[in-house]
Amino acid sequence: DIKAVYVKVFSDTVAEGNVVSQSTEGKSVVQKGDEVKFEISAGKGVDVPDFSKISMADAAERYPSLAVTVVKQYSKDKGYGAFLSQSVSAGTKLSADNNTVTVCYSEGRPFIPNLIGMGENELPALFYEFAQKGAAVEYSVKYVDSSEPKGTIVRASRFSEFVSLKESITVEVSNGKLFVSGGETPEFQQ
């Protein structure tokens, strides 16, 4: 008729599952309804390091006892590979069965590749990747007469350059309606 409370604690000396301490000494008399707290060993535990002092390349490899997931996010002011955040504070102890840490490093600013000649069907995946890494880079499509095959990108307002984390890009896509005889390429209308 006592209230037993079990709390898991990390211990370097007591094996996992065994009692580390109890709030009432052994052979003590307790009253009905009294609470007795037992600390049960959760094992040694794993210390979470300060990932701000660890490179992106080493983060997942250097600590095999942790399940480290490295995530890259765009940053307006931190260059590629710079530390941004970690999901569990440095110095925290984790158990072997709950040892997941997500570490975020900078991808730098978004870079728009040369879009000219790509297919319109490649745009959704490219811009989805920007969104997944924290950039609000959006695009709109304008269809234009061109001798290029239908669906080919013939012009873009931004390409082959770094852009801000919030950007809107206009992409002109061939509708394939301009045919050229004799192999000459017409000038595009502005």
Side-chain angles (χ1 to χ4, degrees):
D1 290 330
I2 63 167
K3 182 179 177 186
V5 176
Y6 300 96
V7 178
K8 286 198 169 190
V9 296
F10 294 108
S11 174
D12 292 336
T13 57
V14 179
E16 185 175 354
N18 292 328
V19 175
V20 174
S21 69
Q22 60 190 54
S23 61
T24 304
E25 292 185 31
K27 299 185 182 180
S28 296
V29 176
V30 293
Q31 302 296 318
K32 279 186 177 184
D34 281 356
E35 180 179 289
V36 179
K37 181 178 173 184
F38 296 94
E39 290 187 337
I40 308 298
S41 175
K44 290 186 177 185
V46 181
D47 289 318
V48 175
D50 181 355
F51 282 97
S52 69
K53 296 179 167 96
I54 300 166
S55 74
M56 179 169 53
D58 291 341
E61 303 295 323
R62 200 161 161 190
Y63 296 93
S65 56
L66 291 171
V68 178
T69 301
V70 174
V71 175
K72 296 178 197 171
Q73 290 281 303
Y74 289 115
S75 173
K76 67 179 180 177
D77 54 2
K78 292 199 177 186
Y80 181 86
F83 172 81
L84 297 176
S85 66
Q86 63 187 74
S87 63
V88 180
S89 300
T92 303
K93 273 195 185 285
L94 297 178
S95 64
D97 61 344
N98 183 20
N99 63 348
T100 303
V101 180
T102 301
V103 185
C104 187
Y105 289 94
S106 174
E107 180 84 358
R109 289 187 5 229
F111 183 81
I112 304 297
N114 185 358
L115 304 172
I116 311 303
M118 289 175 56
E120 178 183 9
N121 63 328
E122 298 174 69
L123 292 174
L126 175 66
F127 285 85
Y128 174 78
E129 186 70 23
F130 290 132
Q132 288 301 104
K133 293 180 179 179
V137 179
E138 300 173 348
Y139 70 98
S140 60
V141 174
K142 178 180 175 188
Y143 295 98
V144 295
D145 291 343
S146 167
S147 62
E148 292 295 323
K150 183 177 180 178
T152 303
I153 297 170
V154 294
R155 238 184 246 107
S157 62
R158 305 287 300 265
F159 64 93
S160 297
E161 62 185 300
F162 289 99
V163 296
S164 67
L165 296 184
K166 186 173 183 182
E167 193 74 42
S168 183
I169 296 169
T170 302
V171 177
E172 293 185 12
V173 176
S174 173
N175 60 16
K177 290 185 179 177
L178 184 61
F179 296 101
V180 179
S181 61
E184 294 178 15
T185 304
E187 291 294 319
F188 290 99
Q189 306 231 348
Q190 296 291 339

